[in-house]
Amino acid sequence: MASHRRLLTAAALVLALLCLMVLNWGGIPVSSTPPSISPEAQQALHDKIKLSQENTNGNINNNNNNAPATDGSNQIPVKFRVFDSDSKQKPARKEFSLEDLQKNIDLNQAQFLDFLTDEEGSSSQRSPYGIFGGSLSSFTESKPFDIVGTWERVHQYGLKVQTLSYERSDFVQLARRVRACLIAYTVLHEKPSLMQLLAASAPDRAASVSEARKLLKAELNTIIDGVTSNIFSWISPAFKSIKDIQNHFLGKKVQDMGIVITTGQWHFELAAHAILTLREVLNCTLPIEVQYMGENDLTANMRAAFNSMPDVKTVDVLQTFSTSNVNGWAVKPFSILASGFRNVIFMDADALFFQNPETMLRSSAIFSHFGQLFYHDRSLFKNGNTAWFRKINPQMTHYASTLRYLRGLSVHEMESGVVAVDKGRAGVLHALMMVCQMNSFPEREVTYKNMHGDKESFWMAWDMIRVPYKFVPTFGGTVGYKNEKGNICGGLFHTDEHQRPLWWNGGVLANKHYHKDSGFMHFEYAAFDTDGDNIEWEWETETSPFCLKPRYPEREIVALTDTERDYGARYVQLYLDLREKGWPEYFVKKYKAKIVE
């Protein structure tokens, strides 16, 4: 009996150690001690153990835990209880009704997801980009965050709704189910120590911690499989599960980096020109996929032309996601997901660069931290449809509240002409699938009714399921020439995160909506916007593009360098060469494309 008691005591100590390993992610004080551990033993463990948060390859948030804080926030206390298998204090599980759970489920899910993304820790472990979610900021020493109590509610909710039908136009219900899936997926696949702890701290449903862990694992798989079948059934037969998708992109057979361009017949020449600029001017060697929607979207000769170019291939997105109702703008997120690259740079057919786009993946601190890069659209028109977003996302993040869209400063927030994502990260993958769903039928009827096409669906999806994201700080500007008013006129322009010219869209035409054979851009100046307000736009006409007067012209208008001007001139010449005798002859002569007369 004495040896049996010693074994139980040792087991309890191990369990307490595991608890402290998880809680010491952020140096979190324990406000409720395991019943079988003395205060002295617990303090000794506190003094000895200081372990950093698990940071696996597919973690929901790939934070740099040694980064300094920027917000001066204090430590957030957390209440956690742990029971050994023989504890008499272990209560029976309380079952909640779905009606009761739904009253606060948006807040409960937000809090648990913020906990998973390391917002519960001390200020020394906060993101260098400040607080993202912010739902845990109200907790104090006297009112600590109850992880287990919150977990019980979000977990039971996931079990109850994972296969429950809902009105497809109800984005609140959609987001709740995807968040439930993300929570279950993260605990099961990204946080094994946390899963062990949650199993050990759960009310009495099993005779041992081992059995409780098996039961919890089965329940987590039930939630993930149920939501996948209910919402993301279109991933089949290309993929068996969400985990299958992530494993695929983390595998060695997948190319690490690549570019995706979507186009149909109408934008064929623009896409071909964009690829020529990447290969012949910027010396970009990243593999490129040109994705289209079915045989009627691109002719056989157009596909042959693309496929004749070095390391370029055409991909029919409908061959991967045949049941997803892909159409129009919707092709963009689906093409990103369907591509054969883990780290994807998506670019519109008319997007052109001043820098090799590979730098976005290799040098961007934002991409390294968040696994995505989003760019702001122009600050244009005030007081957009913010009521709709607040309705579908009742617990929006702190970061979202700082955006122009939510502050009523611009009806546009994001320019989706260039987007970069890392599909190997669990949170990013779920968010991208959420974007796909918002652009599926019938959901896109709601999406496109409340925004211009697909573009806002990216950051909104990230925010609705609470996956951390970040925009490049500057807002859309212009690149071109300086008019008589001193304003800069030309294409919609974007800087990198260091305010250096990066890309613009519209191609080399001065106004692609009015001229296709003449009227080329002048590459002299660029203007960008660092304020997001108090700027002036002159709208485009048949004879001139739109023009920007930034708030601070002395520092927000820059002359292009000789290299950037040279790039522009070479881009114009490539476009003229492509059109001089027609693209079929160009591709036959240059790449020996097999064009059929």
Side-chain angles (χ1 to χ4, degrees):
M1 291 294 293
S3 62
H4 180 64
R5 284 194 297 272
R6 283 195 296 272
L7 286 173
L8 287 177
T9 301
L13 281 167
V14 170
L15 190 58
L17 176 62
L18 181 60
C19 173
L20 290 167
M21 285 171 64
V22 176
L23 294 178
N24 271 281
W25 288 349
I28 306 167
V30 179
S31 59
S32 177
T33 61
S36 57
I37 304 299
S38 68
E40 293 79 9
Q42 183 188 20
Q43 185 60 50
L45 288 170
H46 262 297
D47 294 339
K48 287 183 178 181
I49 302 168
K50 190 174 183 180
L51 299 176
S52 63
Q53 179 180 0
E54 295 166 351
N55 196 14
T56 57
N57 197 19
N59 209 346
I60 185 173
N61 187 21
N62 192 21
N63 280 342
N64 173 8
N65 287 332
N66 294 319
T70 59
D71 55 11
S73 56
N74 295 320
Q75 185 173 328
I76 298 174
V78 177
K79 183 167 66 174
F80 216 123
R81 58 185 184 274
V82 178
F83 306 97
D84 63 52
S85 58
D86 293 334
S87 173
K88 295 181 181 179
Q89 299 182 32
K90 194 171 184 179
R93 183 184 196 183
K94 180 181 178 181
E95 291 289 338
F96 297 97
S97 68
L98 180 58
E99 182 181 7
D100 183 42
L101 290 170
Q102 289 186 137
K103 293 177 181 177
N104 294 299
I105 193 59
D106 299 301
L107 176 60
N108 294 153
Q109 288 179 328
Q111 290 173 335
F112 202 81
L113 284 164
D114 285 354
F115 165 73
L116 290 177
T117 51
D118 198 25
E119 288 201 13
E120 90 293 352
S122 62
S123 59
S124 64
Q125 289 184 311
R126 291 299 175 87
S127 161
Y129 297 97
I131 292 177
F132 170 73
S135 67
L136 300 177
S137 60
S138 63
F139 291 102
T140 63
E141 291 286 349
S142 60
K143 184 188 175 184
F145 173 50
D146 181 3
I147 299 176
V148 175
T150 305
W151 164 253
E152 277 297 317
R153 298 185 74 90
V154 299
H155 184 55
Q156 286 192 39
Y157 178 81
L159 288 170
K160 290 180 185 296
V161 303
Q162 37 96 15
T163 57
L164 198 64
S165 62
Y166 67 99
E167 177 59 48
R168 294 277 296 273
S169 62
D170 189 342
F171 282 14
V172 172
Q173 295 298 326
L174 169 63
R176 287 174 177 177
R177 284 158 173 77
V178 179
R179 287 195 296 265
C181 182
L182 177 57
I183 290 170
Y185 189 97
T186 304
V187 172
L188 178 61
H189 297 299
E190 308 292 307
K191 307 283 188 182
S193 296
L194 178 60
M195 186 177 74
Q196 180 83 0
L197 184 57
L198 290 171
S201 63
D204 191 13
R205 291 181 291 149
S208 67
V209 172
S210 177
E211 290 180 9
R213 188 178 185 278
K214 290 180 181 179
L215 177 59
L216 178 57
K217 184 176 181 180
E219 290 178 341
L220 294 173
N221 275 314
T222 295
I223 295 171
I224 297 166
D225 293 345
V227 172
T228 302
S229 175
N230 194 17
I231 297 176
F232 302 127
S233 60
W234 44 262
I235 69 172
S236 177
F239 299 101
K240 297 176 181 178
S241 63
I242 299 175
K243 184 60 176 173
D244 184 36
I245 301 176
Q246 187 183 20
N247 286 342
H248 174 72
F249 290 115
L250 291 175
K252 296 181 179 179
K253 295 182 179 180
V254 173
Q255 292 176 287
D256 184 52
M257 299 179 182
I259 294 172
V260 170
I261 301 174
T262 57
T263 189
Q265 297 182 40
W266 180 254
H267 289 125
F268 166 79
E269 287 184 346
L270 289 174
H273 175 253
I275 296 174
L276 289 171
T277 66
L278 294 174
R279 291 289 192 253
E280 299 194 14
V281 179
L282 295 177
N283 298 316
C284 176
T285 59
L286 288 178
I288 297 173
E289 289 182 357
V290 178
Q291 300 219 13
Y292 62 100
M293 298 178 292
E295 292 185 357
N296 294 328
D297 202 25
L298 278 181
T299 68
N301 280 346
M302 289 176 175
R303 296 197 297 272
F306 282 129
N307 290 323
S308 69
M309 304 174 80
D311 215 357
V312 177
K313 71 174 183 178
T314 55
V315 177
D316 183 356
V317 68
L318 299 183
Q319 295 298 312
T320 305
F321 299 123
S322 59
T323 60
S324 56
N325 297 305
V326 179
N327 186 281
W329 284 311
V331 70
K332 191 176 296 186
F334 281 103
S335 69
I336 296 172
L337 185 59
S339 70
F341 318 120
R342 170 182 170 172
N343 295 286
V344 182
I345 298 172
F346 173 87
M347 53 182 283
D348 277 346
D350 63 346
L352 298 175
F353 285 82
F354 283 118
Q355 301 178 41
N356 187 329
E358 190 171 343
T359 61
M360 296 166 57
L361 305 181
R362 296 196 182 277
S363 303
S364 168
I366 294 176
F367 186 79
S368 175
H369 189 88
F370 294 96
Q372 55 72 224
L373 271 176
F374 294 159
Y375 295 88
H376 289 291
D377 202 343
R378 295 169 289 179
S379 299
L380 196 64
F381 310 126
K382 294 184 182 293
N383 301 317
N385 196 3
T386 59
W388 174 72
F389 180 68
R390 294 177 188 276
K391 179 181 178 181
I392 65 172
N393 192 23
Q395 291 292 329
M396 70 177 178
T397 66
H398 167 75
Y399 181 69
S401 71
T402 69
L403 299 177
R404 296 168 303 166
Y405 182 87
L406 274 304
R407 293 160 57 206
L409 298 179
S410 177
V411 299
H412 302 293
E413 191 62 59
M414 180 167 171
E415 164 59 74
S416 61
V418 171
V419 175
V421 296
D422 176 0
K423 296 182 292 185
R425 305 192 193 195
V428 171
L429 179 59
H430 280 76
L432 180 59
M433 293 174 65
M434 179 71 169
V435 181
C436 290
Q437 196 63 36
M438 290 177 69
N439 286 273
S440 295
F441 182 82
E443 285 88 349
R444 65 171 171 259
E445 293 189 342
V446 177
T447 302
Y448 300 167
K449 178 182 177 181
N450 289 280
M451 66 182 77
H452 181 65
D454 65 285
K455 66 193 196 73
E456 311 295 353
S457 64
F458 282 87
W459 72 268
M460 287 184 177
W462 254 256
D463 204 82
M464 288 166 69
I465 68 168
R466 227 165 179 88
V467 175
Y469 63 98
K470 176 75 174 178
F471 280 92
V472 171
T474 56
F475 306 98
T478 52
V479 59
Y481 64 90
K482 185 181 291 187
N483 68 9
E484 66 281 358
K485 298 179 182 178
N487 301 337
I488 308 305
C489 308
L492 179 56
F493 161 78
H494 302 273
T495 73
D496 63 16
E497 54 213 83
H498 305 292
Q499 297 185 4
R500 296 177 301 215
L502 179 61
W503 68 278
W504 78 95
N505 59 12
V508 294
L509 300 175
N511 190 325
K512 68 177 182 179
H513 299 113
Y514 295 100
H515 301 282
K516 199 167 184 178
D517 297 303
S518 62
F520 294 103
M521 289 179 58
H522 300 278
F523 295 90
E524 300 171 359
Y525 295 92
F528 55 92
D529 172 19
T530 59
D531 190 63
D533 194 14
N534 298 310
I535 59 176
E536 296 180 17
W537 288 98
E538 296 177 43
W539 207 245
E540 63 185 355
T541 68
E542 290 190 18
T543 58
S544 67
F546 51 78
C547 306
L548 170 65
K549 178 183 178 181
R551 184 176 185 181
Y552 306 104
E554 65 279 2
R555 58 182 172 87
E556 294 176 337
I557 293 178
V558 296
L560 296 181
T561 65
D562 291 342
T563 298
E564 291 159 352
R565 293 184 183 209
D566 178 63
Y567 285 168
R570 294 171 68 184
Y571 291 173
V572 170
Q573 188 58 53
L574 278 172
Y575 186 83
L576 290 171
D577 292 344
L578 183 62
R579 291 184 57 82
E580 182 179 9
K581 294 183 179 180
W583 65 264
E585 183 175 339
Y586 181 91
F587 278 96
V588 169
K589 183 177 181 180
K590 187 173 183 64
Y591 296 111
K592 295 180 172 54
K594 297 179 180 179
I595 303 296
V596 179
E597 295 293 337

